[in-house]
Coordinates of all heavy atoms in Angstrom, one line a residue:
M1 N 3.3 -2.1 9.3 CA 1.9 -1.6 9.1 C 2.0 -0.1 9.0 O 2.9 0.5 9.4 CB 1.0 -2.1 10.3 CG 0.7 -3.6 10.3 SD 0.1 -4.3 8.7 CE -1.4 -3.4 8.4
P2 N 0.9 0.4 8.3 CA 0.9 1.9 8.1 C 0.9 2.6 9.4 O 0.4 2.1 10.4 CB -0.4 2.1 7.3 CG -0.8 0.8 6.8 CD -0.2 -0.2 7.7
T3 N 1.4 3.8 9.3 CA 1.3 4.7 10.5 C -0.1 5.2 10.7 O -1.0 5.1 9.8 CB 2.2 5.9 10.3 OG1 1.8 6.7 9.2 CG2 3.7 5.5 10.1
E4 N -0.4 5.8 11.8 CA -1.7 6.4 12.1 C -2.0 7.5 11.0 O -3.2 7.6 10.7 CB -1.7 6.9 13.5 CG -3.1 7.2 14.0 CD -4.0 6.0 14.1 OE1 -3.5 4.9 14.4 OE2 -5.2 6.1 13.9
R5 N -1.0 8.2 10.6 CA -1.2 9.3 9.6 C -1.8 8.7 8.3 O -2.7 9.4 7.7 CB 0.1 9.9 9.4 CG 0.0 11.2 8.5 CD 1.3 11.9 8.5 NE 1.2 13.1 7.7 CZ 2.0 14.1 7.7 NH1 3.1 14.0 8.5 NH2 1.8 15.1 7.0
F6 N -1.4 7.5 7.9 CA -2.0 6.9 6.7 C -3.5 6.7 6.8 O -4.3 7.0 5.9 CB -1.3 5.6 6.4 CG -1.9 4.9 5.2 CD1 -1.6 5.3 3.9 CD2 -2.7 3.8 5.4 CE1 -2.1 4.6 2.8 CE2 -3.3 3.1 4.3 CZ -3.0 3.5 3.0
Y7 N -3.9 6.3 8.0 CA -5.3 6.0 8.2 C -6.2 7.2 8.2 O -7.4 7.2 8.1 CB -5.5 5.2 9.5 CG -5.0 3.8 9.3 CD1 -3.9 3.3 10.0 CD2 -5.7 2.9 8.5 CE1 -3.4 2.0 9.8 CE2 -5.2 1.6 8.3 CZ -4.0 1.2 9.0 OH -3.6 -0.1 8.8
H8 N -5.6 8.4 8.4 CA -6.3 9.7 8.3 C -6.5 10.2 6.9 O -7.2 11.2 6.7 CB -5.6 10.7 9.2 CG -5.7 10.4 10.7 ND1 -6.9 10.1 11.3 CD2 -4.7 10.3 11.6 CE1 -6.6 9.9 12.6 NE2 -5.3 10.0 12.8
L9 N -5.9 9.6 5.9 CA -6.0 10.0 4.5 C -7.5 9.7 4.1 O -8.1 8.8 4.6 CB -5.0 9.3 3.6 CG -3.6 9.6 3.8 CD1 -2.7 8.7 3.0 CD2 -3.3 11.1 3.5
S10 N -7.9 10.3 3.0 CA -9.2 10.0 2.4 C -9.1 8.6 1.9 O -8.0 8.1 1.5 CB -9.5 11.0 1.3 OG -8.7 10.7 0.2
E11 N -10.3 7.9 1.7 CA -10.3 6.6 1.2 C -9.7 6.6 -0.2 O -9.1 5.6 -0.6 CB -11.7 6.0 1.2 CG -12.2 5.7 2.6 CD -11.4 4.7 3.3 OE1 -11.0 3.7 2.7 OE2 -11.1 4.9 4.5
G12 N -10.0 7.6 -1.0 CA -9.5 7.7 -2.3 C -8.0 7.7 -2.4 O -7.4 7.1 -3.3
K13 N -7.4 8.5 -1.5 CA -5.9 8.6 -1.5 C -5.3 7.3 -1.1 O -4.3 6.8 -1.6 CB -5.5 9.7 -0.6 CG -4.1 10.1 -0.7 CD -3.8 10.7 -2.1 CE -2.5 11.4 -2.1 NZ -2.2 11.9 -3.5
K14 N -5.9 6.6 0.0 CA -5.4 5.3 0.4 C -5.5 4.3 -0.7 O -4.5 3.6 -1.0 CB -6.2 4.8 1.6 CG -5.8 5.6 2.9 CD -6.5 5.0 4.1 CE -7.9 5.3 4.2 NZ -8.5 5.0 5.5
K15 N -6.6 4.3 -1.5 CA -6.7 3.4 -2.6 C -5.7 3.7 -3.7 O -5.2 2.7 -4.2 CB -8.2 3.5 -3.1 CG -8.5 2.6 -4.2 CD -9.9 2.7 -4.7 CE -10.2 1.8 -5.9 NZ -11.5 2.0 -6.5
L16 N -5.5 4.9 -4.0 CA -4.5 5.3 -5.0 C -3.1 4.8 -4.6 O -2.4 4.2 -5.5 CB -4.5 6.8 -5.2 CG -3.7 7.4 -6.3 CD1 -4.2 6.9 -7.6 CD2 -3.7 8.9 -6.3
I17 N -2.7 5.0 -3.4 CA -1.4 4.5 -2.9 C -1.3 3.0 -3.0 O -0.3 2.4 -3.5 CB -1.1 5.0 -1.5 CG1 -1.0 6.6 -1.5 CG2 0.2 4.4 -0.9 CD1 -1.0 7.2 -0.1
K18 N -2.4 2.3 -2.5 CA -2.4 0.9 -2.5 C -2.3 0.3 -4.0 O -1.5 -0.6 -4.3 CB -3.6 0.3 -1.8 CG -3.7 -1.2 -1.7 CD -4.9 -1.7 -0.9 CE -6.1 -1.5 -1.7 NZ -7.3 -2.2 -1.1
E19 N -3.1 0.9 -4.9 CA -3.1 0.5 -6.2 C -1.8 0.7 -6.9 O -1.3 -0.1 -7.7 CB -4.2 1.1 -7.0 CG -5.6 0.6 -6.6 CD -6.8 1.2 -7.3 OE1 -6.6 2.2 -8.0 OE2 -7.9 0.8 -7.1
A20 N -1.1 1.8 -6.6 CA 0.2 2.1 -7.2 C 1.2 1.1 -6.7 O 2.1 0.6 -7.5 CB 0.7 3.5 -6.8
A21 N 1.1 0.7 -5.5 CA 2.1 -0.3 -4.9 C 1.8 -1.7 -5.5 O 2.7 -2.4 -5.9 CB 2.0 -0.4 -3.4
I22 N 0.5 -2.0 -5.7 CA 0.2 -3.3 -6.3 C 0.7 -3.4 -7.7 O 1.2 -4.4 -8.1 CB -1.4 -3.6 -6.2 CG1 -1.8 -3.8 -4.8 CG2 -1.8 -4.7 -7.1 CD1 -3.3 -3.8 -4.6
K23 N 0.5 -2.3 -8.4 CA 1.0 -2.2 -9.8 C 2.5 -2.5 -9.9 O 3.0 -3.2 -10.7 CB 0.6 -0.9 -10.4 CG 1.1 -0.7 -11.8 CD 0.6 0.7 -12.4 CE 1.1 0.9 -13.8 NZ 0.7 2.2 -14.3
E24 N 3.2 -1.9 -9.0 CA 4.7 -2.0 -9.0 C 5.1 -3.5 -8.6 O 6.0 -4.1 -9.2 CB 5.3 -1.0 -8.0 CG 6.8 -1.1 -8.0 CD 7.6 -0.8 -9.3 OE1 6.9 -0.5 -10.3 OE2 8.8 -0.9 -9.3
F25 N 4.4 -4.0 -7.6 CA 4.7 -5.4 -7.1 C 4.3 -6.4 -8.2 O 4.9 -7.5 -8.2 CB 4.1 -5.7 -5.8 CG 4.6 -4.8 -4.6 CD1 3.7 -4.3 -3.7 CD2 5.9 -4.6 -4.5 CE1 4.1 -3.5 -2.6 CE2 6.4 -3.8 -3.4 CZ 5.5 -3.3 -2.5
C26 N 3.4 -6.1 -9.0 CA 3.0 -7.0 -10.1 C 4.0 -6.9 -11.2 O 4.2 -7.9 -12.0 CB 1.6 -6.7 -10.6 SG 0.3 -7.2 -9.5
R27 N 4.7 -5.8 -11.4 CA 5.6 -5.5 -12.5 C 6.9 -6.2 -12.3 O 7.5 -6.8 -13.2 CB 5.8 -4.0 -12.6 CG 6.6 -3.5 -13.8 CD 6.7 -2.0 -13.8 NE 7.7 -1.6 -12.8 CZ 9.0 -1.6 -13.0 NH1 9.6 -2.1 -14.1 NH2 9.9 -1.2 -12.0
V28 N 7.4 -6.2 -11.0 CA 8.8 -6.8 -10.7 C 8.7 -7.5 -9.4 O 7.9 -7.2 -8.6 CB 9.8 -5.7 -10.7 CG1 10.0 -5.0 -12.1 CG2 9.5 -4.6 -9.7
P29 N 9.7 -8.3 -9.1 CA 9.8 -8.9 -7.8 C 10.1 -7.9 -6.7 O 10.5 -6.8 -7.0 CB 11.1 -9.8 -7.9 CG 11.4 -10.0 -9.4 CD 10.8 -8.8 -10.0
L30 N 9.7 -8.2 -5.5 CA 9.8 -7.3 -4.4 C 11.2 -6.6 -4.3 O 11.3 -5.4 -4.1 CB 9.5 -8.0 -3.1 CG 9.7 -7.1 -1.8 CD1 8.7 -6.0 -1.8 CD2 9.5 -8.0 -0.6
E31 N 12.2 -7.4 -4.4 CA 13.6 -6.8 -4.3 C 13.9 -5.8 -5.4 O 14.8 -4.9 -5.2 CB 14.7 -7.9 -4.2 CG 14.8 -8.8 -5.4 CD 13.8 -10.0 -5.3 OE1 13.1 -10.2 -4.4 OE2 13.8 -10.7 -6.3
K32 N 13.2 -5.8 -6.5 CA 13.4 -4.8 -7.6 C 12.4 -3.7 -7.6 O 12.5 -2.8 -8.4 CB 13.5 -5.5 -8.9 CG 14.7 -6.4 -9.0 CD 14.8 -7.0 -10.4 CE 16.0 -7.9 -10.5 NZ 16.2 -8.5 -11.8
A33 N 11.4 -3.9 -6.8 CA 10.3 -2.9 -6.7 C 10.9 -1.5 -6.3 O 11.7 -1.4 -5.5 CB 9.2 -3.3 -5.8
S34 N 10.3 -0.5 -7.0 CA 10.8 0.9 -6.8 C 9.8 1.8 -6.0 O 8.7 1.9 -6.5 CB 11.1 1.5 -8.2 OG 11.3 2.9 -8.1
I35 N 10.3 2.3 -4.9 CA 9.4 3.2 -4.2 C 9.2 4.5 -5.0 O 8.1 5.0 -5.0 CB 10.0 3.5 -2.8 CG1 9.9 2.3 -1.9 CG2 9.3 4.7 -2.2 CD1 10.5 2.4 -0.5
N36 N 10.2 4.8 -5.8 CA 10.1 6.0 -6.7 C 8.9 5.8 -7.7 O 8.1 6.8 -7.9 CB 11.3 6.3 -7.4 CG 12.4 6.9 -6.6 OD1 12.1 7.6 -5.6 ND2 13.7 6.7 -6.9
K37 N 8.7 4.6 -8.2 CA 7.6 4.4 -9.1 C 6.3 4.4 -8.4 O 5.3 4.8 -8.9 CB 7.9 3.1 -9.9 CG 9.0 3.2 -10.9 CD 9.0 2.0 -11.8 CE 10.3 2.1 -12.6 NZ 10.5 2.2 -13.8
I38 N 6.3 3.8 -7.2 CA 5.1 3.8 -6.4 C 4.6 5.2 -6.1 O 3.5 5.6 -6.4 CB 5.3 3.0 -5.1 CG1 5.5 1.5 -5.4 CG2 4.1 3.2 -4.1 CD1 5.9 0.7 -4.1
V39 N 5.5 6.1 -5.7 CA 5.1 7.5 -5.3 C 4.8 8.3 -6.6 O 3.9 9.1 -6.5 CB 6.2 8.2 -4.5 CG1 6.5 7.5 -3.2 CG2 7.5 8.4 -5.2
K40 N 5.4 8.0 -7.7 CA 5.1 8.7 -8.9 C 3.7 8.3 -9.3 O 2.9 9.2 -9.7 CB 6.1 8.3 -10.0 CG 5.8 9.0 -11.3 CD 6.8 8.6 -12.4 CE 6.5 9.3 -13.7 NZ 7.3 8.9 -14.8
N41 N 3.4 7.0 -9.3 CA 2.0 6.6 -9.7 C 0.9 7.0 -8.8 O -0.2 7.1 -9.1 CB 2.0 5.0 -10.0 CG 2.8 4.6 -11.2 OD1 2.8 5.4 -12.2 ND2 3.4 3.5 -11.2
A42 N 1.3 7.1 -7.5 CA 0.3 7.6 -6.5 C 0.2 9.1 -6.4 O -0.6 9.6 -5.6 CB 0.7 7.0 -5.1
A43 N 1.1 9.8 -7.1 CA 1.1 11.3 -7.0 C 1.3 11.8 -5.6 O 0.7 12.7 -5.2 CB -0.1 11.8 -7.7
I44 N 2.3 11.1 -4.9 CA 2.7 11.6 -3.6 C 4.2 11.8 -3.6 O 4.9 11.2 -4.4 CB 2.3 10.7 -2.4 CG1 2.9 9.3 -2.6 CG2 0.7 10.6 -2.4 CD1 2.7 8.4 -1.4
S45 N 4.7 12.5 -2.6 CA 6.1 12.7 -2.5 C 6.8 11.5 -1.8 O 6.1 10.7 -1.1 CB 6.5 13.9 -1.7 OG 6.2 13.8 -0.3
R46 N 8.0 11.3 -2.0 CA 8.8 10.2 -1.3 C 8.7 10.4 0.2 O 8.5 9.4 0.9 CB 10.2 10.1 -1.8 CG 11.0 8.9 -1.4 CD 12.3 8.9 -2.1 NE 13.1 7.8 -1.6 CZ 13.1 6.6 -2.2 NH1 12.4 6.3 -3.3 NH2 13.9 5.6 -1.7
G47 N 8.8 11.6 0.6 CA 8.7 11.9 2.0 C 7.4 11.5 2.6 O 7.3 11.0 3.7
S48 N 6.3 11.8 1.9 CA 5.0 11.4 2.3 C 4.9 9.9 2.5 O 4.3 9.3 3.4 CB 3.9 11.8 1.3 OG 3.8 13.2 1.4
F49 N 5.5 9.1 1.5 CA 5.4 7.7 1.5 C 6.0 7.2 2.9 O 5.5 6.4 3.5 CB 6.2 7.1 0.4 CG 6.3 5.6 0.5 CD1 5.3 4.8 -0.1 CD2 7.4 4.9 1.1 CE1 5.4 3.4 0.0 CE2 7.4 3.6 1.2 CZ 6.5 2.8 0.6
Y50 N 7.1 7.8 3.3 CA 7.8 7.4 4.5 C 7.1 7.9 5.8 O 7.4 7.4 6.8 CB 9.3 7.8 4.5 CG 10.1 6.9 3.6 CD1 10.6 7.3 2.4 CD2 10.3 5.5 3.9 CE1 11.3 6.5 1.5 CE2 11.0 4.7 3.1 CZ 11.5 5.2 1.9 OH 12.2 4.3 1.1
T51 N 6.2 8.8 5.6 CA 5.4 9.1 6.8 C 4.2 8.1 7.0 O 3.7 8.0 8.0 CB 4.8 10.6 6.7 OG1 3.9 10.7 5.7 CG2 5.9 11.6 6.7
Y52 N 3.9 7.4 5.9 CA 2.9 6.4 6.0 C 3.4 4.9 6.2 O 2.8 4.1 6.9 CB 2.1 6.4 4.7 CG 1.5 7.7 4.3 CD1 1.6 8.1 2.9 CD2 1.0 8.6 5.2 CE1 1.1 9.3 2.5 CE2 0.5 9.8 4.8 CZ 0.6 10.2 3.5 OH 0.1 11.4 3.1
F53 N 4.6 4.6 5.6 CA 5.1 3.3 5.6 C 6.6 3.4 5.9 O 7.3 4.3 5.5 CB 4.9 2.6 4.3 CG 3.5 2.4 4.0 CD1 2.8 3.3 3.1 CD2 2.7 1.4 4.5 CE1 1.5 3.2 2.8 CE2 1.4 1.3 4.2 CZ 0.8 2.2 3.3
S54 N 7.2 2.4 6.5 CA 8.6 2.4 6.8 C 9.5 1.9 5.6 O 10.6 2.4 5.5 CB 9.0 1.5 8.0 OG 8.5 0.2 7.8
D55 N 8.9 1.1 4.8 CA 9.6 0.6 3.6 C 8.6 -0.2 2.7 O 7.4 -0.2 3.0 CB 10.8 -0.3 4.0 CG 10.4 -1.4 4.9 OD1 9.2 -1.9 4.9 OD2 11.2 -1.9 5.7
K56 N 9.1 -0.7 1.6 CA 8.2 -1.4 0.7 C 7.7 -2.7 1.2 O 6.5 -3.1 0.9 CB 8.9 -1.6 -0.7 CG 10.2 -2.4 -0.6 CD 10.8 -2.4 -2.0 CE 12.2 -3.1 -2.0 NZ 12.9 -2.9 -3.2
E57 N 8.4 -3.3 2.1 CA 7.8 -4.5 2.8 C 6.7 -4.1 3.7 O 5.7 -4.9 3.8 CB 8.9 -5.2 3.6 CG 10.0 -5.9 2.8 CD 11.1 -5.0 2.4 OE1 11.1 -3.8 2.7 OE2 12.0 -5.5 1.7
D58 N 6.7 -3.0 4.3 CA 5.6 -2.5 5.1 C 4.3 -2.3 4.3 O 3.3 -2.7 4.8 CB 6.1 -1.2 5.8 CG 5.2 -0.8 7.0 OD1 4.6 -1.7 7.6 OD2 5.2 0.4 7.3
I59 N 4.4 -1.7 3.2 CA 3.2 -1.5 2.4 C 2.7 -2.8 1.8 O 1.5 -3.0 1.7 CB 3.4 -0.4 1.2 CG1 2.0 0.0 0.7 CG2 4.4 -0.9 0.2 CD1 2.0 1.2 -0.2
L60 N 3.6 -3.7 1.5 CA 3.2 -5.0 1.0 C 2.5 -5.8 2.1 O 1.4 -6.4 1.9 CB 4.4 -5.9 0.6 CG 4.1 -7.2 0.0 CD1 3.3 -7.1 -1.3 CD2 5.4 -7.9 -0.4
E61 N 2.9 -5.7 3.4 CA 2.2 -6.3 4.5 C 0.8 -5.7 4.6 O -0.2 -6.4 4.8 CB 3.0 -6.1 5.8 CG 2.4 -6.7 7.0 CD 3.2 -6.5 8.3 OE1 4.4 -6.2 8.2 OE2 2.6 -6.5 9.3
Y62 N 0.7 -4.4 4.5 CA -0.6 -3.7 4.5 C -1.5 -4.3 3.4 O -2.7 -4.5 3.7 CB -0.4 -2.2 4.4 CG -1.7 -1.5 4.0 CD1 -2.7 -1.3 5.0 CD2 -2.0 -1.0 2.8 CE1 -3.9 -0.7 4.7 CE2 -3.2 -0.3 2.5 CZ -4.1 -0.2 3.4 OH -5.3 0.4 3.1
I63 N -1.0 -4.4 2.2 CA -1.8 -4.9 1.1 C -2.3 -6.3 1.4 O -3.5 -6.6 1.2 CB -1.0 -4.9 -0.2 CG1 -0.7 -3.5 -0.7 CG2 -1.7 -5.7 -1.3 CD1 0.3 -3.3 -1.7
F64 N -1.5 -7.2 1.9 CA -1.9 -8.5 2.2 C -2.9 -8.5 3.4 O -3.9 -9.3 3.3 CB -0.7 -9.4 2.6 CG 0.1 -9.9 1.4 CD1 1.4 -9.8 1.4 CD2 -0.6 -10.4 0.3 CE1 2.2 -10.2 0.3 CE2 0.2 -10.9 -0.8 CZ 1.5 -10.7 -0.8
E65 N -2.7 -7.7 4.4 CA -3.7 -7.7 5.5 C -5.0 -7.1 5.0 O -6.1 -7.7 5.4 CB -3.2 -6.8 6.6 CG -4.2 -6.8 7.8 CD -3.6 -6.1 9.0 OE1 -2.5 -6.6 9.5 OE2 -4.2 -5.1 9.5
D66 N -5.0 -6.1 4.1 CA -6.3 -5.6 3.6 C -7.0 -6.7 2.8 O -8.2 -6.8 2.8 CB -5.9 -4.4 2.7 CG -7.2 -3.7 2.2 OD1 -8.0 -3.3 3.1 OD2 -7.4 -3.6 1.0
L67 N -6.2 -7.5 2.0 CA -6.8 -8.5 1.2 C -7.5 -9.6 2.1 O -8.6 -10.0 1.8 CB -5.7 -9.2 0.3 CG -6.2 -10.4 -0.5 CD1 -7.3 -9.9 -1.5 CD2 -5.0 -11.0 -1.3
V68 N -6.8 -10.0 3.2 CA -7.4 -10.9 4.2 C -8.7 -10.4 4.7 O -9.7 -11.1 4.8 CB -6.4 -11.2 5.3 CG1 -7.1 -12.0 6.4 CG2 -5.2 -12.0 4.7
L69 N -8.7 -9.1 5.1 CA -10.0 -8.5 5.6 C -11.1 -8.5 4.6 O -12.2 -8.8 4.9 CB -9.7 -7.1 6.1 CG -8.8 -6.9 7.3 CD1 -8.5 -5.5 7.6 CD2 -9.4 -7.6 8.5
Q70 N -10.7 -8.3 3.3 CA -11.7 -8.3 2.2 C -12.3 -9.7 2.1 O -13.5 -9.9 1.9 CB -11.2 -7.8 0.9 CG -10.9 -6.4 0.9 CD -10.3 -5.9 -0.4 OE1 -10.6 -6.4 -1.5 NE2 -9.3 -5.0 -0.4
V71 N -11.4 -10.7 2.1 CA -11.9 -12.1 2.0 C -12.8 -12.5 3.2 O -13.8 -13.1 3.0 CB -10.7 -13.1 1.9 CG1 -11.1 -14.5 2.0 CG2 -9.9 -12.8 0.6
Q72 N -12.4 -12.1 4.4 CA -13.2 -12.4 5.6 C -14.5 -11.7 5.5 O -15.6 -12.4 5.8 CB -12.5 -11.9 6.8 CG -11.3 -12.8 7.2 CD -10.5 -12.2 8.4 OE1 -10.6 -11.0 8.7 NE2 -9.8 -13.1 9.1
S73 N -14.6 -10.5 5.0 CA -15.8 -9.8 4.9 C -16.7 -10.5 3.8 O -17.9 -10.7 4.0 CB -15.6 -8.4 4.4 OG -16.8 -7.7 4.2
F74 N -16.1 -10.9 2.7 CA -16.9 -11.6 1.7 C -17.5 -12.9 2.2 O -18.6 -13.3 2.0 CB -16.0 -11.9 0.5 CG -16.6 -12.7 -0.6 CD1 -17.5 -12.2 -1.5 CD2 -16.3 -14.1 -0.7 CE1 -18.1 -12.9 -2.4 CE2 -17.0 -14.9 -1.6 CZ -17.9 -14.3 -2.5
C75 N -16.7 -13.7 3.0 CA -17.1 -14.9 3.5 C -18.3 -14.8 4.5 O -19.2 -15.6 4.6 CB -16.0 -15.7 4.2 SG -14.7 -16.3 3.0
K76 N -18.3 -13.7 5.2 CA -19.3 -13.4 6.2 C -20.6 -13.1 5.5 O -21.7 -13.3 6.1 CB -18.9 -12.3 7.1 CG -17.9 -12.7 8.1 CD -17.5 -11.5 9.0 CE -16.4 -11.9 10.0 NZ -16.0 -10.7 10.8
T77 N -20.6 -12.5 4.3 CA -21.8 -12.1 3.6 C -22.4 -13.2 2.7 O -23.4 -13.0 2.2 CB -21.5 -10.8 2.7 OG1 -20.5 -11.1 1.8 CG2 -21.1 -9.7 3.6
T78 N -21.6 -14.3 2.5 CA -22.1 -15.3 1.7 C -22.6 -16.5 2.4 O -22.4 -16.7 3.6 CB -21.1 -15.8 0.7 OG1 -19.9 -16.3 1.4 CG2 -20.7 -14.7 -0.3

């Protein structure tokens, strides 16, 4: 899961990082996914990525957890 530092980013920056990771995971299988492409598309440094996540599996876990929360929220409103 993301570090506490990630949660202090602006919503826009968090969204940009998440979308860059989703784009990369849709492009290739997880084992071929490139952190370099994620950070390039998110306009952050590789060092910053590692202050937010431990590895690409970590950001993928965050994406799935965020998706579950969105689905739960949707279900509560319908």
Side-chain angles (χ1 to χ4, degrees):
M1 290 309 299
T3 63
E4 196 61 35
R5 188 171 181 165
F6 176 78
Y7 290 109
H8 292 307
L9 293 173
S10 70
E11 289 302 315
K13 192 65 164 180
K14 287 188 280 192
K15 182 178 179 186
L16 187 62
I17 295 168
K18 182 174 77 169
E19 288 176 354
I22 290 170
K23 180 178 179 182
E24 180 63 4
F25 294 138
C26 288
R27 189 182 73 80
V28 295
L30 176 63
E31 59 275 357
K32 293 185 179 183
S34 167
I35 290 176
N36 285 334
K37 289 191 189 239
I38 293 171
V39 300
K40 181 180 178 188
N41 288 327
I44 61 170
S45 70
R46 190 174 176 92
S48 291
F49 176 89
Y50 284 109
T51 64
Y52 308 139
F53 301 96
S54 57
D55 53 26
K56 58 188 172 186
E57 289 84 1
D58 197 26
I59 193 169
L60 184 61
E61 182 181 337
Y62 165 72
I63 290 166
F64 283 132
E65 183 171 301
D66 186 60
L67 180 60
V68 168
L69 293 173
Q70 288 179 40
V71 169
Q72 288 174 338
S73 177
F74 175 78
C75 290
K76 289 178 182 177
T77 61
T78 57

